[in-house]
């Protein structure tokens, strides 16, 4: 014979289940409204403004040289930019070669989407900075630096 369920135990299980579902639902709602990157770059500021800026200032066929996350989110909203392998952002030479070959309308960099190594060893490099300053105009939105191509 099966023993009758203890009403106190059933009450505890139901309470724990309600707490679990409620906290998960609350976290999902908070992250849906978040003005920061919720994928892996926790704490990045201006994410919503970044994508609004890209949507407003780039055509649908624009090339955006950025990590996968940025390009993916841009493409969902407004574009058909190609994706670039992560190794492009790990090498100063490969980054410059790719930017020259692909002629992006904009480049998006920032600690929320690029690692510390990329920010310190690639984008702070004098050769990379000279290249960017020659062909692009720098715009800062929150934690992101956007380099918009200069058209002369």
């Amino acid at each position: 014979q099966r023993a009758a369920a203890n009403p106190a135990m059933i009450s505890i299980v139901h309470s724990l289940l309600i707490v679990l579902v409620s906290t998960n639902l609350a976290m999902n709602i908070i992250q849906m409204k978040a003005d920061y990157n919720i994928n892996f770059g926790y704490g990045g500021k201006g994410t919503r403004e970044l994508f609004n800026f890209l949507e407003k200032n780039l055509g649908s066929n624009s090339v955006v040289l950025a990590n996968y996350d940025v390009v993916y989110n841009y493409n969902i909203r407004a574009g058909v930019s190609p994706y670039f392998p992560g190794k492009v952002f790990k090498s100063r030479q490969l980054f410059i070669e790719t930017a020259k070959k692909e002629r992006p309308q904009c480049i998006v960099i920032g600690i929320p989407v690029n690692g510390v190594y990329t920010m310190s060893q690639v984008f702070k490099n004098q050769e990379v900075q000279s290249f960017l300053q020659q062909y692009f105009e720098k715009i800062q939105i929150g934690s992101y630096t956007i380099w918009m191509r200069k058209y002369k």
Side-chain angles (χ1 to χ4, degrees):
Q1 247 183 354
R2 195 169 156 195
N6 182 345
M9 187 57 83
I10 291 174
S11 180
I12 290 172
V13 169
H14 283 144
S15 298
L16 289 173
L17 191 59
I18 289 170
V19 168
L20 175 70
V21 171
S22 299
T23 55
N24 193 350
L25 185 60
M27 179 61 77
N28 288 337
I29 291 169
I30 289 167
Q31 288 188 337
M32 277 189 330
K33 295 180 178 184
D35 187 28
Y36 51 86
N37 191 328
I38 61 169
N39 296 320
F40 64 87
Y42 286 101
K45 302 292 183 198
T47 303
R48 184 175 296 133
E49 289 83 0
L50 166 68
F51 293 112
N52 288 341
F53 176 86
L54 295 179
E55 187 175 0
K56 179 181 174 187
N57 291 286
L58 297 177
S60 61
N61 292 325
S62 295
V63 174
V64 176
L65 181 54
N67 85 327
Y68 182 89
D69 242 15
V70 172
V71 174
Y72 175 81
N73 282 292
Y74 166 69
N75 286 346
I76 285 175
R77 293 169 160 249
V80 291
S81 178
Y83 292 95
F84 298 95
K87 66 182 179 182
V88 167
F89 305 99
K90 302 287 187 207
S91 160
R92 298 181 285 254
Q93 184 176 348
L94 186 55
F95 172 77
I96 291 173
E97 288 172 6
T98 302
K100 285 180 177 178
K101 178 183 174 203
E102 299 293 334
R103 297 192 46 80
Q105 283 70 33
C106 93
I107 298 170
V108 179
I109 61 173
I111 202 69
V113 292
N114 300 107
V116 173
Y117 174 85
T118 300
M119 295 303 295
S120 65
Q121 300 300 310
V122 177
F123 292 119
K124 291 197 186 255
N125 173 269
Q126 187 56 46
E127 183 183 3
V128 172
Q129 283 297 308
S130 295
F131 169 79
L132 290 170
Q133 291 168 7
Q134 181 178 358
Y135 297 104
F136 297 87
E137 177 184 347
K138 182 180 179 180
I139 299 164
Q140 191 70 40
I141 297 179
S143 303
Y144 304 91
T145 303
I146 300 112
W147 292 89
M148 294 294 290
R149 183 170 292 282
K150 296 176 186 175
Y151 290 100
K152 297 176 183 178

PDB file of all heavy atoms in Angstrom, residues 139-150:
ATOM      1  N   ILE A 139      33.058  57.621 -32.671  1.00  0.00           N
ATOM      2  CA  ILE A 139      31.860  57.990 -31.920  1.00  0.00           C
ATOM      3  C   ILE A 139      31.783  57.057 -30.713  1.00  0.00           C
ATOM      4  O   ILE A 139      31.936  55.838 -30.857  1.00  0.00           O
ATOM      5  CB  ILE A 139      30.596  57.837 -32.784  1.00  0.00           C
ATOM      6  CG1 ILE A 139      30.685  58.753 -34.001  1.00  0.00           C
ATOM      7  CG2 ILE A 139      29.336  58.106 -31.975  1.00  0.00           C
ATOM      8  CD1 ILE A 139      29.722  58.429 -35.100  1.00  0.00           C
ATOM      9  N   GLN A 140      31.559  57.617 -29.549  1.00  0.00           N
ATOM     10  CA  GLN A 140      31.456  56.822 -28.326  1.00  0.00           C
ATOM     11  C   GLN A 140      30.001  56.732 -27.898  1.00  0.00           C
ATOM     12  O   GLN A 140      29.330  57.749 -27.752  1.00  0.00           O
ATOM     13  CB  GLN A 140      32.290  57.456 -27.212  1.00  0.00           C
ATOM     14  CG  GLN A 140      32.468  56.596 -25.995  1.00  0.00           C
ATOM     15  CD  GLN A 140      33.378  55.398 -26.258  1.00  0.00           C
ATOM     16  OE1 GLN A 140      34.384  55.520 -26.952  1.00  0.00           O
ATOM     17  NE2 GLN A 140      33.024  54.258 -25.709  1.00  0.00           N
ATOM     18  N   ILE A 141      29.507  55.531 -27.714  1.00  0.00           N
ATOM     19  CA  ILE A 141      28.161  55.314 -27.175  1.00  0.00           C
ATOM     20  C   ILE A 141      28.300  54.338 -26.025  1.00  0.00           C
ATOM     21  O   ILE A 141      28.566  53.146 -26.246  1.00  0.00           O
ATOM     22  CB  ILE A 141      27.185  54.771 -28.240  1.00  0.00           C
ATOM     23  CG1 ILE A 141      27.004  55.779 -29.376  1.00  0.00           C
ATOM     24  CG2 ILE A 141      25.841  54.426 -27.600  1.00  0.00           C
ATOM     25  CD1 ILE A 141      26.070  55.318 -30.480  1.00  0.00           C
ATOM     26  N   GLY A 142      28.162  54.829 -24.826  1.00  0.00           N
ATOM     27  CA  GLY A 142      28.291  53.971 -23.649  1.00  0.00           C
ATOM     28  C   GLY A 142      29.644  53.287 -23.622  1.00  0.00           C
ATOM     29  O   GLY A 142      30.681  53.924 -23.733  1.00  0.00           O
ATOM     30  N   SER A 143      29.634  51.961 -23.530  1.00  0.00           N
ATOM     31  CA  SER A 143      30.859  51.173 -23.467  1.00  0.00           C
ATOM     32  C   SER A 143      31.415  50.828 -24.848  1.00  0.00           C
ATOM     33  O   SER A 143      32.405  50.127 -24.948  1.00  0.00           O
ATOM     34  CB  SER A 143      30.585  49.854 -22.739  1.00  0.00           C
ATOM     35  OG  SER A 143      30.077  50.096 -21.451  1.00  0.00           O
ATOM     36  N   TYR A 144      30.773  51.308 -25.894  1.00  0.00           N
ATOM     37  CA  TYR A 144      31.140  50.942 -27.259  1.00  0.00           C
ATOM     38  C   TYR A 144      31.785  52.116 -27.997  1.00  0.00           C
ATOM     39  O   TYR A 144      31.363  53.257 -27.853  1.00  0.00           O
ATOM     40  CB  TYR A 144      29.902  50.503 -28.048  1.00  0.00           C
ATOM     41  CG  TYR A 144      29.169  49.376 -27.390  1.00  0.00           C
ATOM     42  CD1 TYR A 144      28.142  49.618 -26.483  1.00  0.00           C
ATOM     43  CD2 TYR A 144      29.509  48.056 -27.647  1.00  0.00           C
ATOM     44  CE1 TYR A 144      27.467  48.580 -25.859  1.00  0.00           C
ATOM     45  CE2 TYR A 144      28.847  47.010 -27.025  1.00  0.00           C
ATOM     46  CZ  TYR A 144      27.829  47.282 -26.140  1.00  0.00           C
ATOM     47  OH  TYR A 144      27.164  46.260 -25.515  1.00  0.00           O
ATOM     48  N   THR A 145      32.781  51.799 -28.814  1.00  0.00           N
ATOM     49  CA  THR A 145      33.376  52.785 -29.704  1.00  0.00           C
ATOM     50  C   THR A 145      32.982  52.392 -31.116  1.00  0.00           C
ATOM     51  O   THR A 145      33.217  51.252 -31.538  1.00  0.00           O
ATOM     52  CB  THR A 145      34.907  52.818 -29.585  1.00  0.00           C
ATOM     53  OG1 THR A 145      35.252  53.092 -28.219  1.00  0.00           O
ATOM     54  CG2 THR A 145      35.510  53.890 -30.477  1.00  0.00           C
ATOM     55  N   ILE A 146      32.367  53.318 -31.822  1.00  0.00           N
ATOM     56  CA  ILE A 146      31.950  53.087 -33.197  1.00  0.00           C
ATOM     57  C   ILE A 146      32.836  53.948 -34.081  1.00  0.00           C
ATOM     58  O   ILE A 146      33.002  55.134 -33.835  1.00  0.00           O
ATOM     59  CB  ILE A 146      30.473  53.486 -33.416  1.00  0.00           C
ATOM     60  CG1 ILE A 146      29.574  52.658 -32.508  1.00  0.00           C
ATOM     61  CG2 ILE A 146      30.059  53.299 -34.869  1.00  0.00           C
ATOM     62  CD1 ILE A 146      28.935  53.448 -31.451  1.00  0.00           C
ATOM     63  N   TRP A 147      33.404  53.328 -35.078  1.00  0.00           N
ATOM     64  CA  TRP A 147      34.209  54.039 -36.062  1.00  0.00           C
ATOM     65  C   TRP A 147      33.410  54.064 -37.352  1.00  0.00           C
ATOM     66  O   TRP A 147      33.245  53.046 -38.017  1.00  0.00           O
ATOM     67  CB  TRP A 147      35.555  53.344 -36.260  1.00  0.00           C
ATOM     68  CG  TRP A 147      36.470  53.414 -35.077  1.00  0.00           C
ATOM     69  CD1 TRP A 147      36.528  52.522 -34.045  1.00  0.00           C
ATOM     70  CD2 TRP A 147      37.419  54.423 -34.785  1.00  0.00           C
ATOM     71  NE1 TRP A 147      37.482  52.922 -33.139  1.00  0.00           N
ATOM     72  CE2 TRP A 147      38.038  54.079 -33.563  1.00  0.00           C
ATOM     73  CE3 TRP A 147      37.820  55.585 -35.439  1.00  0.00           C
ATOM     74  CZ2 TRP A 147      39.035  54.848 -32.991  1.00  0.00           C
ATOM     75  CZ3 TRP A 147      38.812  56.364 -34.870  1.00  0.00           C
ATOM     76  CH2 TRP A 147      39.413  56.000 -33.661  1.00  0.00           C
ATOM     77  N   MET A 148      32.860  55.242 -37.699  1.00  0.00           N
ATOM     78  CA  MET A 148      32.061  55.403 -38.921  1.00  0.00           C
ATOM     79  C   MET A 148      32.984  55.863 -40.049  1.00  0.00           C
ATOM     80  O   MET A 148      33.778  56.793 -39.871  1.00  0.00           O
ATOM     81  CB  MET A 148      30.959  56.439 -38.719  1.00  0.00           C
ATOM     82  CG  MET A 148      29.893  56.023 -37.720  1.00  0.00           C
ATOM     83  SD  MET A 148      28.904  54.615 -38.254  1.00  0.00           S
ATOM     84  CE  MET A 148      27.963  55.339 -39.575  1.00  0.00           C
ATOM     85  N   ARG A 149      32.868  55.214 -41.205  1.00  0.00           N
ATOM     86  CA  ARG A 149      33.724  55.552 -42.351  1.00  0.00           C
ATOM     87  C   ARG A 149      33.512  56.994 -42.783  1.00  0.00           C
ATOM     88  O   ARG A 149      32.404  57.483 -42.856  1.00  0.00           O
ATOM     89  CB  ARG A 149      33.448  54.612 -43.528  1.00  0.00           C
ATOM     90  CG  ARG A 149      34.370  54.904 -44.713  1.00  0.00           C
ATOM     91  CD  ARG A 149      34.294  53.850 -45.788  1.00  0.00           C
ATOM     92  NE  ARG A 149      34.842  52.565 -45.387  1.00  0.00           N
ATOM     93  CZ  ARG A 149      36.142  52.283 -45.326  1.00  0.00           C
ATOM     94  NH1 ARG A 149      37.046  53.206 -45.620  1.00  0.00           N
ATOM     95  NH2 ARG A 149      36.554  51.079 -44.973  1.00  0.00           N
ATOM     96  N   LYS A 150      34.638  57.662 -43.033  1.00  0.00           N
ATOM     97  CA  LYS A 150      34.623  59.023 -43.564  1.00  0.00           C
ATOM     98  C   LYS A 150      34.457  58.915 -45.081  1.00  0.00           C
ATOM     99  O   LYS A 150      35.158  58.140 -45.728  1.00  0.00           O
ATOM    100  CB  LYS A 150      35.950  59.743 -43.297  1.00  0.00           C
ATOM    101  CG  LYS A 150      36.267  59.965 -41.838  1.00  0.00           C
ATOM    102  CD  LYS A 150      37.651  60.594 -41.730  1.00  0.00           C
ATOM    103  CE  LYS A 150      38.095  60.721 -40.285  1.00  0.00           C
ATOM    104  NZ  LYS A 150      39.484  61.229 -40.191  1.00  0.00           N
TER     105      LYS A 150
END
